[in-house]
Amino acid sequence: MISKSKFIGAVEIGTSKVTVLVGELTNGRSLHIIGLGQFPSRGVIKGSVADFKAASDATHRALLDAEKRAGVRIDEVYLAQSGGHIDGFYNEAAVNVAAADNMVSQVDIDTVCKLAMSKNLPAGRIVVHHLRRPYRLDGRLVPEPEHLVGRRLEAAYWTVHGEESKVADQMHVIRGFNIHVSELILSGIATGTFVTTPEDRQNGVLVIDIGAGTTDYALYRDGCVQVAGVVPVGGSHLTNDLALGLRLTEGQAEKLKHLYGRAMIATKDKAEKVWLNGDYAIGDRQFSRQTIEQITSVRAWEIFEVVRKKLGSAYSPETTAAGVLLTGGTAKLPAIDEAASRVFGLHARVAEAPSWVAENLRDPGYSTVLGLLHHGLSSRAEAAPRREGVGGILKKLFA
Amino acid sequence: MSSATANTQRTRTWRDIQQEVAPRSMSREGKKRHRLASLRLFLGVVALGALGWGGYEIWKLTRESPAGLAAASQSEPLREILLKTDGVLDLARVESVLGIPPGTPLMNLDLAALHRALVASGQVRTAVLARQFPDKLSVTVEERTPVLRVVVRGDDGKPAALLVARDGTVYQGHGYDHALVSSLPYLDGVRLVRDTAGYQPVRGMETVADLLGTALAGTPALYRDFQVVSLARLATDGEIVVKTGQVESVTFGTREDFYRQLAKLDLILEEMRRPAGAAPIKAINLAVGGRQVPVSLADATPAASTPARQPAAPSFFVPSQTAPASRTRDF
């Protein structure tokens, strides 16, 4: 049999960098990562495109870099969606089972799902995901209710929506490279699917992906996403706080954050100083290490507190047995797991990539793009296989 | 089921966003890829168009002049004919029948016409002709085997010997051994009807071929003595009359097994040979069936109608009867 390969590009247009991962999808089942491209992001503020041309240039250079390294042309793109405009709401619906013998049919399932997803959005908003929670049949949780017997079938969805113009902007950046966006996946969900195990998701786990401009989160329970969203605060706010508090440039603050920033104050001695450059040249300055730790820890705590507030009543430590998983570039901040643990009242840890991930991709900053490929592959596997008709062949010929 | 189904309306999702962007919104690389895609689309359309046009032209050609299709392709002239046969035809005879002018290009050969010419000769039962590029024609034939021979008056008024095959085909044999042809009995009692290719097939030849084949295999001595086989009574009475060297008329019935009839004939001839000075046999009718075989002697008179009982085998006895009317014909 001739194997059919498709080259998928997983693209994350972040606030600090654009990351592109190229995966070779063979026969729709197996995926091999064959290329990585990165470029410092421009024209993106808090996950949203603010300067189309600058964002396009940066993204296209990352795409070109990835294609060059992989030695192939990307056929389609899975795009990560983040940004402060992302929001979500909960909606549920119930139907009485139609059959006389009370056996649930596919029609009942379709009806209740349609009802649960039918809530109107405000003008200018567009659905990014409908995340279904487990069905309830006469009050009991059932993953697949078809052919089960019951009277009342309930379905509930967490609908993630965003501003249509901002979602369209990101897609148009990719289309500007003449590649079709075939999947749009919320960054938090992409990351969550990748760093958690099915057992974690069943027992309850909170995944927090702290990027530069935004923090994505996804709360799992009973194997499904309960709540997912974005808060427009990230690692760049730590940098900004340092820059403002210590009167530094952004570059200097970023450097201090990487060298001495912590999510928990560890330095007891107020007099302990650190040098900005360490070369003792003109312009080199000393700063209190405790002050740096104080500034970064306050902001780190604030991020977690904002996330906890956004989760609201959906979160409870009792139903999140698998704890908190931290990922994203800012998850490298020392003692961040300790801070998360204090805020959420749960054990927290920095997520580790699965063992099959190559060494150069094990950094938490790659979790989202790896998750995009992982999520996209899972979605394809779940979708019913369809034969490629003449239309598909022609489309490929002319693509 | 909830009555709210009708009230549900589809919410817009990100898939509803129009992804197409104007080339002016593209980066340089994007424009390059866009141009390349457009070029591929253009080439694809051109290729499809060319394919369609080519297909239409071929279709038109095959409908209007199929020969032109073959002639359109250049080929070497025919240099050799490769003959495979299960019979006696030689290459010279096949070349003569095919009549291909020297230097004819291989692709110009009308294989269907050549096939018709081969089969029309009669001797060839089936033929397969195939071009072997660059310059050979492969001819594979299956030939008919002659069962009888027949003499007819040719177009020039002179007698001509033809052969008759098992399927009744009458043809002019070529390449057969003279001894084989001489050993074949003559056919009599039928009227050959001419048609465009030669003569119409003789009916009932399969039955005759079975008789002769059984004789050749089981009693070769008797077969060698068969001189004329008459089919005059085959259609009406189901009888085949054979003139042999010893008996003027031996009648075989088609309803009884030929082997049994030949065994009886062999026994009768053997028994009749024993008494010294016995009269020669004029007719033997094996078509009567059963245990009795009417035998007529050449000098037997109605007055002396005492049965000349023979010490026949216990399986049957041979009464003397008036010879049945028989038709013979001299060649």
PDB file of all heavy atoms in Angstrom, chain A residues 372-394:
ATOM      1  N   LEU A 372      -0.793  21.159  20.006  1.00  0.00           N
ATOM      2  CA  LEU A 372      -1.588  21.376  18.791  1.00  0.00           C
ATOM      3  C   LEU A 372      -1.554  20.143  17.891  1.00  0.00           C
ATOM      4  O   LEU A 372      -2.585  19.672  17.408  1.00  0.00           O
ATOM      5  CB  LEU A 372      -1.050  22.577  18.016  1.00  0.00           C
ATOM      6  CG  LEU A 372      -1.347  23.971  18.551  1.00  0.00           C
ATOM      7  CD1 LEU A 372      -0.607  25.012  17.732  1.00  0.00           C
ATOM      8  CD2 LEU A 372      -2.845  24.251  18.496  1.00  0.00           C
ATOM      9  N   LEU A 373      -0.334  19.633  17.673  1.00  0.00           N
ATOM     10  CA  LEU A 373      -0.193  18.441  16.820  1.00  0.00           C
ATOM     11  C   LEU A 373      -0.886  17.255  17.468  1.00  0.00           C
ATOM     12  O   LEU A 373      -1.587  16.482  16.798  1.00  0.00           O
ATOM     13  CB  LEU A 373       1.284  18.123  16.587  1.00  0.00           C
ATOM     14  CG  LEU A 373       2.053  19.087  15.690  1.00  0.00           C
ATOM     15  CD1 LEU A 373       3.505  18.657  15.582  1.00  0.00           C
ATOM     16  CD2 LEU A 373       1.444  19.138  14.292  1.00  0.00           C
ATOM     17  N   HIS A 374      -0.692  17.123  18.760  1.00  0.00           N
ATOM     18  CA  HIS A 374      -1.279  16.002  19.495  1.00  0.00           C
ATOM     19  C   HIS A 374      -2.804  16.069  19.437  1.00  0.00           C
ATOM     20  O   HIS A 374      -3.481  15.070  19.150  1.00  0.00           O
ATOM     21  CB  HIS A 374      -0.785  16.061  20.947  1.00  0.00           C
ATOM     22  CG  HIS A 374      -1.145  14.861  21.743  1.00  0.00           C
ATOM     23  ND1 HIS A 374      -2.197  14.849  22.606  1.00  0.00           N
ATOM     24  CD2 HIS A 374      -0.596  13.630  21.796  1.00  0.00           C
ATOM     25  CE1 HIS A 374      -2.285  13.655  23.174  1.00  0.00           C
ATOM     26  NE2 HIS A 374      -1.318  12.904  22.692  1.00  0.00           N
ATOM     27  N   HIS A 375      -3.346  17.236  19.687  1.00  0.00           N
ATOM     28  CA  HIS A 375      -4.802  17.415  19.689  1.00  0.00           C
ATOM     29  C   HIS A 375      -5.371  17.221  18.291  1.00  0.00           C
ATOM     30  O   HIS A 375      -6.411  16.571  18.112  1.00  0.00           O
ATOM     31  CB  HIS A 375      -5.145  18.820  20.206  1.00  0.00           C
ATOM     32  CG  HIS A 375      -6.605  19.026  20.422  1.00  0.00           C
ATOM     33  ND1 HIS A 375      -7.446  19.438  19.428  1.00  0.00           N
ATOM     34  CD2 HIS A 375      -7.376  18.870  21.526  1.00  0.00           C
ATOM     35  CE1 HIS A 375      -8.676  19.533  19.911  1.00  0.00           C
ATOM     36  NE2 HIS A 375      -8.663  19.197  21.182  1.00  0.00           N
ATOM     37  N   GLY A 376      -4.673  17.781  17.311  1.00  0.00           N
ATOM     38  CA  GLY A 376      -5.133  17.640  15.924  1.00  0.00           C
ATOM     39  C   GLY A 376      -5.160  16.193  15.492  1.00  0.00           C
ATOM     40  O   GLY A 376      -6.111  15.734  14.858  1.00  0.00           O
ATOM     41  N   LEU A 377      -4.137  15.441  15.868  1.00  0.00           N
ATOM     42  CA  LEU A 377      -4.064  14.018  15.510  1.00  0.00           C
ATOM     43  C   LEU A 377      -5.192  13.251  16.193  1.00  0.00           C
ATOM     44  O   LEU A 377      -5.835  12.398  15.581  1.00  0.00           O
ATOM     45  CB  LEU A 377      -2.700  13.447  15.919  1.00  0.00           C
ATOM     46  CG  LEU A 377      -2.455  11.999  15.557  1.00  0.00           C
ATOM     47  CD1 LEU A 377      -2.441  11.826  14.050  1.00  0.00           C
ATOM     48  CD2 LEU A 377      -1.142  11.506  16.135  1.00  0.00           C
ATOM     49  N   SER A 378      -5.434  13.578  17.479  1.00  0.00           N
ATOM     50  CA  SER A 378      -6.502  12.895  18.212  1.00  0.00           C
ATOM     51  C   SER A 378      -7.850  13.188  17.564  1.00  0.00           C
ATOM     52  O   SER A 378      -8.685  12.305  17.420  1.00  0.00           O
ATOM     53  CB  SER A 378      -6.542  13.362  19.665  1.00  0.00           C
ATOM     54  OG  SER A 378      -5.262  13.292  20.223  1.00  0.00           O
ATOM     55  N   SER A 379      -8.067  14.439  17.171  1.00  0.00           N
ATOM     56  CA  SER A 379      -9.338  14.807  16.535  1.00  0.00           C
ATOM     57  C   SER A 379      -9.533  14.040  15.243  1.00  0.00           C
ATOM     58  O   SER A 379     -10.617  13.567  14.942  1.00  0.00           O
ATOM     59  CB  SER A 379      -9.361  16.302  16.221  1.00  0.00           C
ATOM     60  OG  SER A 379      -9.042  17.032  17.356  1.00  0.00           O
ATOM     61  N   ARG A 380      -8.453  13.906  14.473  1.00  0.00           N
ATOM     62  CA  ARG A 380      -8.540  13.179  13.200  1.00  0.00           C
ATOM     63  C   ARG A 380      -8.873  11.718  13.437  1.00  0.00           C
ATOM     64  O   ARG A 380      -9.651  11.113  12.713  1.00  0.00           O
ATOM     65  CB  ARG A 380      -7.208  13.240  12.455  1.00  0.00           C
ATOM     66  CG  ARG A 380      -7.088  14.456  11.597  1.00  0.00           C
ATOM     67  CD  ARG A 380      -5.695  14.546  11.034  1.00  0.00           C
ATOM     68  NE  ARG A 380      -5.547  15.761  10.273  1.00  0.00           N
ATOM     69  CZ  ARG A 380      -5.806  15.855   8.984  1.00  0.00           C
ATOM     70  NH1 ARG A 380      -6.231  14.816   8.324  1.00  0.00           N
ATOM     71  NH2 ARG A 380      -5.647  16.983   8.352  1.00  0.00           N
ATOM     72  N   ALA A 381      -8.230  11.144  14.471  1.00  0.00           N
ATOM     73  CA  ALA A 381      -8.457   9.730  14.752  1.00  0.00           C
ATOM     74  C   ALA A 381      -9.901   9.488  15.168  1.00  0.00           C
ATOM     75  O   ALA A 381     -10.494   8.472  14.837  1.00  0.00           O
ATOM     76  CB  ALA A 381      -7.504   9.266  15.851  1.00  0.00           C
ATOM     77  N   GLU A 382     -10.493  10.476  15.891  1.00  0.00           N
ATOM     78  CA  GLU A 382     -11.868  10.318  16.341  1.00  0.00           C
ATOM     79  C   GLU A 382     -12.854  10.505  15.199  1.00  0.00           C
ATOM     80  O   GLU A 382     -13.911   9.892  15.181  1.00  0.00           O
ATOM     81  CB  GLU A 382     -12.183  11.342  17.439  1.00  0.00           C
ATOM     82  CG  GLU A 382     -11.589  10.938  18.789  1.00  0.00           C
ATOM     83  CD  GLU A 382     -11.655  12.057  19.795  1.00  0.00           C
ATOM     84  OE1 GLU A 382     -12.375  13.027  19.553  1.00  0.00           O
ATOM     85  OE2 GLU A 382     -10.957  11.951  20.817  1.00  0.00           O
ATOM     86  N   ALA A 383     -12.463  11.370  14.252  1.00  0.00           N
ATOM     87  CA  ALA A 383     -13.377  11.629  13.129  1.00  0.00           C
ATOM     88  C   ALA A 383     -13.510  10.384  12.283  1.00  0.00           C
ATOM     89  O   ALA A 383     -12.603   9.595  12.177  1.00  0.00           O
ATOM     90  CB  ALA A 383     -12.844  12.781  12.279  1.00  0.00           C
ATOM     91  N   ALA A 384     -14.707  10.212  11.699  1.00  0.00           N
ATOM     92  CA  ALA A 384     -14.925   9.036  10.851  1.00  0.00           C
ATOM     93  C   ALA A 384     -14.032   9.126   9.639  1.00  0.00           C
ATOM     94  O   ALA A 384     -13.958  10.182   9.006  1.00  0.00           O
ATOM     95  CB  ALA A 384     -16.384   8.984  10.428  1.00  0.00           C
ATOM     96  N   PRO A 385     -13.349   8.004   9.270  1.00  0.00           N
ATOM     97  CA  PRO A 385     -12.493   8.057   8.090  1.00  0.00           C
ATOM     98  C   PRO A 385     -13.330   8.208   6.830  1.00  0.00           C
ATOM     99  O   PRO A 385     -14.349   7.558   6.671  1.00  0.00           O
ATOM    100  CB  PRO A 385     -11.776   6.705   8.113  1.00  0.00           C
ATOM    101  CG  PRO A 385     -12.656   5.819   8.907  1.00  0.00           C
ATOM    102  CD  PRO A 385     -13.381   6.687   9.883  1.00  0.00           C
ATOM    103  N   ARG A 386     -12.888   9.102   5.961  1.00  0.00           N
ATOM    104  CA  ARG A 386     -13.601   9.312   4.703  1.00  0.00           C
ATOM    105  C   ARG A 386     -12.642   9.087   3.558  1.00  0.00           C
ATOM    106  O   ARG A 386     -11.482   9.472   3.617  1.00  0.00           O
ATOM    107  CB  ARG A 386     -14.141  10.733   4.636  1.00  0.00           C
ATOM    108  CG  ARG A 386     -15.386  10.925   5.451  1.00  0.00           C
ATOM    109  CD  ARG A 386     -15.998  12.255   5.164  1.00  0.00           C
ATOM    110  NE  ARG A 386     -15.096  13.353   5.426  1.00  0.00           N
ATOM    111  CZ  ARG A 386     -15.386  14.608   5.114  1.00  0.00           C
ATOM    112  NH1 ARG A 386     -16.483  14.887   4.506  1.00  0.00           N
ATOM    113  NH2 ARG A 386     -14.533  15.574   5.388  1.00  0.00           N
ATOM    114  N   ARG A 387     -13.172   8.460   2.516  1.00  0.00           N
ATOM    115  CA  ARG A 387     -12.346   8.238   1.331  1.00  0.00           C
ATOM    116  C   ARG A 387     -12.187   9.545   0.578  1.00  0.00           C
ATOM    117  O   ARG A 387     -13.116  10.345   0.509  1.00  0.00           O
ATOM    118  CB  ARG A 387     -12.982   7.201   0.404  1.00  0.00           C
ATOM    119  CG  ARG A 387     -12.879   5.807   0.937  1.00  0.00           C
ATOM    120  CD  ARG A 387     -13.521   4.864  -0.051  1.00  0.00           C
ATOM    121  NE  ARG A 387     -12.719   4.773  -1.256  1.00  0.00           N
ATOM    122  CZ  ARG A 387     -11.661   3.998  -1.382  1.00  0.00           C
ATOM    123  NH1 ARG A 387     -11.270   3.259  -0.396  1.00  0.00           N
ATOM    124  NH2 ARG A 387     -10.997   3.951  -2.510  1.00  0.00           N
ATOM    125  N   GLU A 388     -11.011   9.705   0.055  1.00  0.00           N
ATOM    126  CA  GLU A 388     -10.750  10.918  -0.720  1.00  0.00           C
ATOM    127  C   GLU A 388     -11.339  10.748  -2.099  1.00  0.00           C
ATOM    128  O   GLU A 388     -10.970   9.840  -2.839  1.00  0.00           O
ATOM    129  CB  GLU A 388      -9.247  11.132  -0.820  1.00  0.00           C
ATOM    130  CG  GLU A 388      -8.898  12.494  -1.354  1.00  0.00           C
ATOM    131  CD  GLU A 388      -7.408  12.728  -1.304  1.00  0.00           C
ATOM    132  OE1 GLU A 388      -6.673  11.935  -1.892  1.00  0.00           O
ATOM    133  OE2 GLU A 388      -6.992  13.696  -0.679  1.00  0.00           O
ATOM    134  N   GLY A 389     -12.300  11.577  -2.424  1.00  0.00           N
ATOM    135  CA  GLY A 389     -12.968  11.456  -3.712  1.00  0.00           C
ATOM    136  C   GLY A 389     -12.198  12.188  -4.795  1.00  0.00           C
ATOM    137  O   GLY A 389     -11.079  12.662  -4.578  1.00  0.00           O
ATOM    138  N   VAL A 390     -12.851  12.277  -5.946  1.00  0.00           N
ATOM    139  CA  VAL A 390     -12.208  12.954  -7.076  1.00  0.00           C
ATOM    140  C   VAL A 390     -11.955  14.426  -6.733  1.00  0.00           C
ATOM    141  O   VAL A 390     -10.927  14.997  -7.063  1.00  0.00           O
ATOM    142  CB  VAL A 390     -13.113  12.836  -8.327  1.00  0.00           C
ATOM    143  CG1 VAL A 390     -12.507  13.594  -9.489  1.00  0.00           C
ATOM    144  CG2 VAL A 390     -13.286  11.379  -8.697  1.00  0.00           C
ATOM    145  N   GLY A 391     -12.920  15.001  -6.003  1.00  0.00           N
ATOM    146  CA  GLY A 391     -12.781  16.406  -5.606  1.00  0.00           C
ATOM    147  C   GLY A 391     -11.524  16.617  -4.786  1.00  0.00           C
ATOM    148  O   GLY A 391     -10.782  17.578  -4.992  1.00  0.00           O
ATOM    149  N   GLY A 392     -11.272  15.680  -3.865  1.00  0.00           N
ATOM    150  CA  GLY A 392     -10.089  15.768  -3.010  1.00  0.00           C
ATOM    151  C   GLY A 392      -8.808  15.666  -3.808  1.00  0.00           C
ATOM    152  O   GLY A 392      -7.844  16.392  -3.566  1.00  0.00           O
ATOM    153  N   ILE A 393      -8.816  14.771  -4.782  1.00  0.00           N
ATOM    154  CA  ILE A 393      -7.620  14.576  -5.608  1.00  0.00           C
ATOM    155  C   ILE A 393      -7.350  15.834  -6.431  1.00  0.00           C
ATOM    156  O   ILE A 393      -6.225  16.307  -6.526  1.00  0.00           O
ATOM    157  CB  ILE A 393      -7.793  13.342  -6.521  1.00  0.00           C
ATOM    158  CG1 ILE A 393      -7.863  12.088  -5.664  1.00  0.00           C
ATOM    159  CG2 ILE A 393      -6.657  13.245  -7.520  1.00  0.00           C
ATOM    160  CD1 ILE A 393      -8.358  10.868  -6.381  1.00  0.00           C
ATOM    161  N   LEU A 394      -8.422  16.406  -6.997  1.00  0.00           N
ATOM    162  CA  LEU A 394      -8.259  17.618  -7.798  1.00  0.00           C
ATOM    163  C   LEU A 394      -7.760  18.768  -6.928  1.00  0.00           C
ATOM    164  O   LEU A 394      -6.901  19.539  -7.338  1.00  0.00           O
ATOM    165  CB  LEU A 394      -9.579  17.990  -8.454  1.00  0.00           C
ATOM    166  CG  LEU A 394     -10.036  17.087  -9.599  1.00  0.00           C
ATOM    167  CD1 LEU A 394     -11.390  17.521 -10.111  1.00  0.00           C
ATOM    168  CD2 LEU A 394      -9.019  17.090 -10.732  1.00  0.00           C
TER     169      LEU A 394
END
